[in-house]
């Protein structure tokens, strides 16, 4: 029988550097002989990527709840087309963002009620939570400074430091609440040190999975 795969997610405010660490982790895990599916949210499917274009388009305005519903619509498709099939095959899925982003950005950042988010979470995910979440923590001003090297901001990146501070507090609150699943990595350190911390955490996780 195929062992169900593992599900790892990366989270952090914009500018936390998670995307480059995610590429590195995928290679690292492939080096261990694991089949890895790299994906992202919003996105990961044809429909999800189209929703992403709308969600990130800085010319687009939308109600916070519309934004939330679109995030979860993209997630439903992502689970159906990518995440569930990959886990059933025994592959490992590494996703650049997942549900914690909705609680941090739409919940803490935009003020969408926790009750509504939990309702959507139950509906869309049916209890599927990641096995491990790596949260790259960074003060809002540092994230902003890193994003500033990008030429055009998307709809989220142009938000204020206050917004990103709320998002960060939202992530930290989730990390306290789900301390078994969410591991906090200090992303303000130089990249080599962040990578070293990431490697240590992932080695522990892999050892736990193989029952050592
Ligand atoms: P991001 O992952 O930062 O990609 P890039 O590195 O290409 O900019 O962009 C996705 C944006 O979507 C990010 O600003 C956070 C936002 N987002 C939410 O607000 N809620 C969600 O549930 C998800 C998955 C993402």
């Amino acid at each position: 029988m195929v062992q169900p795969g593992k599900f790892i997610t990366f989270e952090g405010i914009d500018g936390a550097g998670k995307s480059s660490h995610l590429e590195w982790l995928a290679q690292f895990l492939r080096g261990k002989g694991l089949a890895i599916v790299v994906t992202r949210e919003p996105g990961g499917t044809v429909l999800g990527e189209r929703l992403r274009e709308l969600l990130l388009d800085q010319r687009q305005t939308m109600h916070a709840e519309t934004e939330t519903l679109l995030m979860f619509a993209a997630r439903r498709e992502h689970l159906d087309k990518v995440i569930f099939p990959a886990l059933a095959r025994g592959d490992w899925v590494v996703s650049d963002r997942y549900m914690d982003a909705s609680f941090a950005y739409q919940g803490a950042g935009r003020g969408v009620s926790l009750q509504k988010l939990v309702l959507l979470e139950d509906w869309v995910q049916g209890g599927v939570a990641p096995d491990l979440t790596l949260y790259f923590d960074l003060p809002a001003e540092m994230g902003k400074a890193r994003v500033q090297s990008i030429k055009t901001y998307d709809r989220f990146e142009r938000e204020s430091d206050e917004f990103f501070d709320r998002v960060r507090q939202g992530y930290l609150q989730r990390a306290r609440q789900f301390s078994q699943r969410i591991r906090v990595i200090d992303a303000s350190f130089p990249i080599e040190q962040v990578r070293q911390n990431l490697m240590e955490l992932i080695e522990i996780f892999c050892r736990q999975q193989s029952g050592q």
Side-chain angles (χ1 to χ4, degrees):
M1 205 185 95
V2 182
Q3 287 287 319
K6 296 293 161 196
F7 184 20
I8 301 176
T9 59
F10 275 46
E11 299 284 356
I13 61 167
D14 291 74
K18 62 185 171 40
S19 304
S20 61
H21 294 303
L22 189 142
E23 278 308 315
W24 176 86
L25 177 68
Q27 287 308 324
F28 181 77
L29 292 174
R30 285 188 184 115
K32 288 182 177 285
L34 295 163
I36 307 298
V37 173
V38 175
T39 188
R40 68 173 178 181
E41 287 206 356
T45 65
V46 175
L47 177 63
E49 290 295 328
R50 291 183 68 177
L51 291 173
R52 180 187 178 94
E53 277 173 35
L54 291 169
L55 281 159
L56 267 58
D57 185 348
Q58 33 106 351
R59 293 163 305 180
Q60 191 76 49
T61 56
M62 65 181 81
H63 191 281
E65 290 186 353
T66 310
E67 183 180 282
T68 306
L69 290 164
L70 291 177
M71 291 290 179
F72 275 95
R75 183 161 304 134
R76 184 67 192 91
E77 201 61 15
H78 195 206
L79 281 162
D80 184 54
K81 298 277 189 326
V82 178
I83 300 173
F84 288 148
L87 295 176
R89 282 196 303 272
D91 294 356
W92 284 35
V93 176
V94 182
S95 184
D96 193 343
R97 301 190 185 282
Y98 185 62
M99 64 187 197
D100 297 301
S102 297
F103 285 87
Y105 280 78
Q106 281 67 52
R110 303 256 196 247
V112 173
S113 83
L114 188 63
Q115 196 192 0
K116 285 179 178 162
L117 291 171
V118 169
L119 200 73
L120 284 168
E121 182 185 31
D122 288 346
W123 179 24
V124 167
Q125 292 161 214
V128 177
D131 297 292
L132 174 69
T133 296
L134 298 159
Y135 164 59
F136 293 83
D137 185 52
L138 192 73
E141 320 81 69
M142 278 186 83
K144 196 72 169 182
R146 290 189 187 173
V147 169
Q148 247 153 24
S149 55
I150 303 169
K151 274 183 252 23
T152 48
Y153 288 172
D154 68 33
R155 210 167 57 79
F156 291 96
E157 286 158 354
R158 62 179 193 167
E159 289 290 344
S160 64
D161 283 0
E162 291 71 35
F163 174 82
F164 283 110
D165 194 47
R166 289 198 301 278
V167 173
R168 181 189 188 202
Q169 298 311 323
Y171 272 128
L172 289 169
Q173 160 64 30
R174 296 279 290 175
R176 282 191 294 273
Q177 194 179 350
F178 301 101
S179 56
Q180 288 297 310
R181 170 174 67 83
I182 304 179
R183 296 273 169 255
V184 181
I185 296 179
D186 189 335
S188 64
F189 288 136
I191 187 160
E192 299 75 31
Q193 192 168 344
V194 176
R195 190 143 297 171
Q196 183 64 33
N197 293 349
L198 169 61
M199 195 163 86
E200 283 162 17
L201 286 172
I202 213 72
E203 291 282 18
I204 293 169
F205 180 73
C206 288
R207 275 203 299 278
Q208 284 167 347
Q209 301 317 307
S210 57
Q212 286 172 20

